[in-house]
Amino acid sequence: FINNGDWSMFIDGGAGLLLATDEVPDGGTEFNFMPRAGLGTTWRLGDDGGRFLLGVRWQHISNARINGSDNNHGADAVMVYAGVMFPF
C-alpha cells in the first residue's frame, strides 16, 4: 500500500484449509480453517532489484464450530519472518 522505491510497506491476508491425520489442536478436529493477516516492509538492497523483506503475521486455526462449540479448540499464533528476494 506504500511504495517509495527504496522501501515499501504491504498488508497480506488469506485463508486456507488444514486436513490432518491427528486433531489440531489437541481436542479439536482433523479438518480446520486457517485465516491469516499480516503487515510487512521491504528495503532495496542495490541496483540489481534485490530486496530485504520483514513482516509479522497473525494466524488462527479452528474448525469454525462445524462439529459444535465443544469441539472447536482453536489456536492463535503470531509469526515474525524475514527474507531476501531476488528477481529472475
Side-chain angles (χ1 to χ4, degrees):
F1 64 91
I2 297 174
N3 185 352
N4 185 335
D6 289 337
W7 62 273
S8 67
M9 291 188 73
F10 62 90
I11 57 174
D12 70 46
L17 302 175
L18 172 68
L19 183 60
T21 57
D22 292 324
E23 296 174 342
V24 179
D26 288 338
T29 58
E30 292 85 9
F31 177 77
N32 289 284
F33 299 97
M34 297 173 44
R36 64 177 181 251
L39 179 67
T41 186
T42 69
W43 292 276
R44 184 186 347 215
L45 294 175
D47 293 334
D48 64 350
R51 297 187 78 80
F52 176 72
L53 169 76
L54 180 66
V56 62
R57 182 181 291 151
W58 160 84
Q59 183 165 323
H60 177 76
I61 298 173
S62 77
N63 63 26
R65 298 186 180 127
I66 58 175
N67 289 345
S69 295
D70 293 337
N71 292 329
N72 188 38
H73 301 277
D76 290 291
V78 175
M79 176 179 82
V80 176
Y81 59 94
V84 179
M85 300 182 297
F86 295 102
F88 60 92

